[in-house]
Amino acid sequence: MANPAGVALIVSLTIMFVCSLPFIRRRGHFEIFYFTHLLYWAYFALLVMHAPAYWMWLIVPGLIWVAEMSYRVINVLFGAGKTVIKAGVILPSNVTNLIIERPPGFNFSAGDWVFIKIPAVASSEWHPF
């Protein structure tokens, strides 16, 4: 069982690596990057099949991941509200200038960030700004 799982691990990791290279991501093929990186679910399952005792090493990172995802879901459901992008311009230096309407009660602090999704471009892409 370890040998086929090991070969599958190498294949899935190679696919994720190749699809994360700049020539894929920066040419407008973000979906390829995103969907191939969902192979991490198969990667961890194969890793446990390859080395059965590895599940012990997944517990702490798995709990951290579950805590972060729970925080994100709770923040989306009970957050301060949606923001609206009023305008977006690509400047000559290839920098994107976004004008974002502040929701009521919004307080900005240095280091704050927001996830932005533009459904007209792609419905599955969220970008941190």
Side-chain angles (χ1 to χ4, degrees):
M1 184 70 154
N3 287 340
V7 171
L9 282 168
I10 291 172
V11 169
S12 65
L13 192 60
T14 302
I15 290 170
M16 286 190 284
F17 172 75
V18 169
C19 292
S20 69
L21 294 173
F23 78 90
I24 298 277
R25 289 181 292 120
R26 298 190 185 218
R27 290 194 179 162
H29 302 292
F30 180 81
E31 288 82 9
I32 293 172
F33 167 79
Y34 178 76
F35 289 116
T36 57
H37 274 70
L38 291 177
L39 285 173
Y40 74 89
W41 289 104
Y43 184 83
F44 287 121
L46 287 167
L47 198 53
V48 170
M49 290 185 342
H50 179 71
Y54 190 75
W55 67 269
M56 294 182 291
W57 296 98
L58 289 176
I59 292 174
V60 173
L63 290 175
I64 293 171
W65 182 81
V66 167
E68 181 197 3
M69 293 308 287
S70 300
Y71 173 76
R72 284 188 185 190
V73 168
I74 290 168
N75 203 19
V76 166
L77 295 176
F78 301 109
K82 291 184 177 182
T83 57
V84 176
I85 299 174
K86 286 187 171 183
V89 179
I90 298 177
L91 302 175
S93 61
N94 282 337
V95 173
T96 304
N97 178 22
L98 296 176
I99 300 172
I100 301 172
E101 183 179 315
R102 293 181 183 188
F106 178 79
N107 294 320
F108 173 76
S109 298
D112 283 352
W113 52 276
V114 63
F115 278 115
I116 295 178
K117 179 171 90 170
I118 305 170
V121 175
S123 62
S124 63
E125 293 182 29
W126 287 89
H127 298 278
F129 284 92

